[in-house]
Amino acid sequence: MLAKALDWMFPSKCALCGIVGCPSICDACRDGFRRLDRSINLATTPLDYRVAIFHHELRAAQAVRRLKYSRVTSLASPLADFVKGAYDELGLDEVDAVVPVPIHWTRRTLRGFNQSELLSRALPAEKVHPELLLRTRRTRPQVGLDRSKRQINLLGAFRASDQVAGRSILLVDDVTTSGFTAEHCAQALKDKGASRVGLLTLTGEI
Ligand SMILES: [Zn+2]
């Protein structure tokens, strides 16, 4: 009864186009998410492989921005389901641990959540270990910085736990563009002996 009354007063609506009476991502908006279906192997960087589920464009890019900057957390559940779907489909359950890419605690306090942790929420809880990687330094947002400034911005920003030694790690993030953030995470994990590090993101330009 209460749920029905609440639904009448605050009808559910699509968080992307605003149409009422549908889930937080409506079918039309869902159709605007274009699968990337491509992963790359990166033998020359600390990151061993990189997979993005959707092109970072249109509705998919809007979803990333709405979740992160507008804090529309109703998007967390359907987006986490996309991540879980790709994780199963690609056989990534073979990894020893999933580590959401960390944000600095001050940013987390301001935002109220880490979007990467929200996106990891549908993955098996026993696999998800945010405590294995810390962001020890607050960095400027990478957006708007050129390549060399992006690299410098991230130097020494992450510290991994000794617990990662000998384990294969899957990093999860919302979006990847240059891949520098994940590479710096991977370097910190490999410095502590991680055997293999990959990246799964919701959207990307790869
Ligand atoms: Zn919609």
Side-chain angles (χ1 to χ4, degrees):
M1 189 69 179
L2 179 64
K4 273 194 174 164
L6 283 172
D7 206 39
W8 182 76
M9 285 188 288
F10 308 102
S12 60
K13 62 176 184 179
C14 174
L16 301 178
C17 69
I19 193 170
V20 289
C22 52
S24 44
I25 299 179
C26 75
D27 289 348
C29 287
R30 169 67 188 83
D31 288 346
F33 282 57
R34 202 157 54 97
R35 277 298 289 253
L36 195 54
D37 281 329
R38 188 155 50 97
S39 66
I40 43 172
N41 288 303
L42 305 144
T44 55
T45 77
L47 200 57
D48 295 290
Y49 60 94
R50 189 142 74 108
V51 186
I53 306 169
F54 299 107
H55 288 269
H56 189 69
E57 59 171 21
L58 309 170
R59 291 299 189 195
Q62 185 194 14
V64 165
R65 287 193 304 270
R66 285 255 163 113
L67 175 63
K68 184 157 55 178
Y69 302 118
S70 309
R71 292 181 257 184
V72 181
T73 48
S74 62
L75 285 167
S77 177
L79 297 181
D81 288 343
F82 288 139
V83 171
K84 173 69 161 65
Y87 174 88
D88 291 340
E89 205 177 296
L90 297 164
L92 294 172
D93 54 333
E94 285 182 7
V95 300
D96 296 316
V98 172
V99 175
V101 168
I103 56 176
H104 194 257
W105 70 268
T106 53
R107 200 178 299 281
R108 192 201 162 99
T109 303
L110 283 172
R111 190 173 290 158
F113 57 84
N114 174 1
Q115 64 282 356
S116 308
E117 284 179 26
L118 294 186
L119 293 176
S120 306
R121 214 164 56 173
L123 301 178
E126 70 278 9
K127 282 276 174 90
V128 183
H129 291 282
E131 75 282 4
L132 294 178
L133 188 66
L134 281 182
R135 194 150 190 153
T136 50
R137 193 163 61 74
R138 185 170 179 167
T139 53
R140 288 177 56 190
Q142 294 285 84
V143 176
L145 299 180
D146 66 25
R147 277 183 74 84
S148 62
K149 287 206 177 101
R150 282 184 174 212
Q151 286 282 26
I152 293 163
N153 190 36
L154 289 164
L155 283 176
F158 300 97
R159 194 178 65 228
S161 155
D162 294 330
Q163 304 287 319
V164 303
R167 299 168 84 185
S168 66
I169 307 290
L170 176 67
L171 294 162
V172 171
D173 208 353
D174 54 349
V175 54
T176 180
T177 49
S178 64
F180 290 154
T181 303
E183 282 178 21
H184 281 260
C185 290
Q187 187 62 60
L189 291 162
K190 292 252 169 110
D191 286 347
K192 290 291 174 78
S195 57
R196 190 169 158 81
V197 183
L199 171 68
L200 174 63
T201 62
L202 185 69
T203 68
E205 293 162 3
I206 59 176

